[in-house]
Amino acid sequence: MAEIPDRKNMTTADILAFCRAEVASAQSSAPEAEPAAEASADEEAWEVAEESAQAEAPAAPAKKPTSTKDILAAARASAAGGGDKPAEKASAKPPTAKKGAPAAKPTSTKDILAAARASAAGGGDAPAAAAKPAAAKKKQQAAAPAAAGSGEKPSVKEMLAAFREERSAPAVAEDVPEGEKRPPKMPVPPRKPKKKPLPEPVAQDRRAFLAALLVIPSAFAAAWVMLATTTAAWGLALLRFALPNVLVEPPSKFKIGPPGDYDFGTVSTKWKAERGIWVVHTDRYKGKNVIVALSTVCTHLGCTPNWLEGEQKFKCPCHGSGFYVDGINFEGPAPRPLERHGIAVAADGMLEVDKSIKFQEEMGQWEDAKSYVEV
Ligand code: FES
């Protein structure tokens, strides 16, 4: 086997040349007995070519054909046009081909890698190794950490790049053959946004319900009370309007007792508060011994004078009018004497006063016999 040069400094052309040289040397030295070595060399060469192509891409942007596809196309072209190379390439064809069948030209990366793996496992058990590409893959994966342990420790960046490459590998590796359509992707139904569960307003509803139970009946009760009160007030007002507006007063005629109860020369104030009269027994007016009923209303502005026993006169507290015992005014603003009410001796001998009748001295009415009782 030829010595593997520094991989990172290899170009695509170097890698291809190295692959061809490896294949040619393997066939010339051990054409039949070392298919495994050839296959492993091919596989390693292809891996080196892929890695170099990927590593070379950012370092040498001027060189365009650095992808795996380009490398494979170049390898196929060289294999088809190399003159003495088709025989060697045909020996590295995939093991899936039947024994004795004409060698087929590799058409895809998968086929080429499968052929390389089959060649690597080929010595005496080539079909079994070809039937198990997964084992070869595991071997390849196991070789990677071994190589890393040998001295080339991958950095984190490289490991992340390798992980991303591995993750994206199926999509890249799934090469759709020409003429076939890529299977349509299954439409992913849009996710429905989760509805936020509404909080259970049980406690709040219960409180609101209880408050309504307390407030609403109270409001209705207040309304009913107000309506009933208003209706009752209007009913009472209507009833009072229907009743007659009568001033209840004591009867105008009333008995004050026998004439002997009133001594001569005295003024009785017994009926002043209850009936509004003074009973006077006197002979001061024109010399007649009579009993009269004098009104207690001042003839000035209607006040109630007081009988002053010591001064023997009626004195009005409002403006100072003064009246003699027989009722004649003599001082103050009173313009006329006090008035008399009708008085008579009833059938039972009692004095009977009639307040509905008035007798005025200035009009000569005191001469009327109904205005006095002569004793
Ligand atoms: Fe009696 Fe004026 S009311 S004096």
Side-chain angles (χ1 to χ4, degrees):
M1 175 188 276
E3 187 179 355
I4 299 174
D6 188 7
R7 296 180 179 183
K8 292 191 176 179
N9 296 327
M10 289 177 70
T11 63
T12 307
D14 295 338
I15 293 166
L16 291 173
F18 174 74
C19 292
R20 291 187 196 105
E22 283 291 315
V23 171
S25 62
Q27 285 184 351
S28 62
S29 60
E32 292 182 357
E34 296 180 359
E38 184 185 353
S40 63
D42 288 344
E43 183 179 358
E44 189 175 1
W46 286 115
E47 287 174 4
V48 169
E50 288 178 6
E51 289 176 0
S52 300
Q54 291 175 359
E56 229 174 53
K63 295 179 178 179
K64 294 283 182 181
T66 55
S67 66
T68 306
K69 196 172 182 181
D70 296 339
I71 294 168
L72 292 173
R76 288 189 197 108
S78 63
D84 55 347
K85 293 296 188 281
E88 291 86 359
K89 282 289 176 184
S91 64
K93 289 300 177 281
T96 51
K98 292 181 180 178
K99 288 183 179 179
K105 187 181 177 182
T107 56
S108 67
T109 307
K110 198 172 180 180
D111 296 340
I112 294 169
L113 290 176
R117 291 189 192 103
S119 301
D125 198 11
K132 295 179 181 179
K137 193 174 183 181
K138 284 181 182 178
K139 183 180 175 183
Q140 182 183 356
Q141 289 176 354
S150 63
E152 292 181 4
K153 191 176 181 181
S155 64
V156 177
K157 193 174 180 180
E158 291 173 350
M159 286 193 289
L160 286 173
F163 176 74
R164 292 192 190 103
E165 189 179 356
E166 184 180 354
R167 290 289 300 271
S168 61
V172 175
E174 284 180 3
D175 292 333
V176 179
E178 292 182 1
E180 290 186 15
K181 288 184 179 179
R182 188 182 293 275
K185 292 183 178 179
M186 293 295 290
V188 180
R191 287 185 178 180
K192 290 183 179 178
K194 286 185 178 179
K195 289 184 178 179
K196 231 177 183 179
L198 295 174
E200 297 180 358
V202 176
Q204 190 175 358
D205 286 352
R206 188 182 298 115
R207 283 196 292 274
F209 179 71
L210 292 176
L213 281 181
L214 293 175
V215 171
I216 292 176
S218 301
F220 273 106
W224 277 111
V225 167
M226 291 176 64
L227 181 63
T229 305
T230 307
T231 306
W234 277 103
L236 289 175
L238 186 63
L239 184 63
R240 177 66 186 87
F241 181 77
L243 294 176
N245 191 12
V246 178
L247 178 62
V248 179
E249 290 183 345
S252 58
K253 281 186 175 182
F254 53 92
K255 293 181 177 176
I256 58 175
D261 290 348
Y262 302 97
D263 297 335
F264 178 76
T266 59
V267 176
S268 173
T269 60
K270 181 180 177 180
W271 306 99
K272 178 186 176 183
E274 184 180 354
R275 298 294 183 175
I277 60 169
W278 287 296
V279 180
V280 179
H281 188 180
T282 182
D283 60 353
R284 293 287 299 271
Y285 185 72
K286 296 185 178 178
K288 288 183 179 178
N289 186 8
V290 294
I291 297 175
V292 297
L294 290 177
S295 172
T296 58
V297 176
C298 179
T299 54
H300 177 221
L301 292 178
C303 290
T304 303
N306 296 313
W307 168 246
L308 302 180
E309 184 67 28
E311 299 180 17
Q312 291 291 304
K313 67 177 182 183
F314 299 99
K315 188 67 175 178
C316 184
C318 295
H319 309 97
S321 297
F323 303 90
Y324 293 124
V325 69
D326 55 359
I328 299 299
N329 58 302
F330 67 94
E331 63 179 354
R336 56 187 181 88
L338 296 174
E339 295 177 351
R340 289 183 181 178
H341 288 294
I343 187 172
V345 177
D348 56 357
M350 298 295 175
L351 293 173
E352 186 178 49
V353 179
D354 187 0
K355 286 193 71 176
S356 62
I357 303 172
K358 291 183 179 179
F359 299 94
Q360 296 181 0
E361 191 278 336
E362 70 275 11
M363 296 179 70
Q365 294 174 351
W366 281 13
E367 298 297 333
D368 194 333
K370 294 180 182 176
S371 65
Y372 58 89
V373 172
E374 193 167 8
V375 179

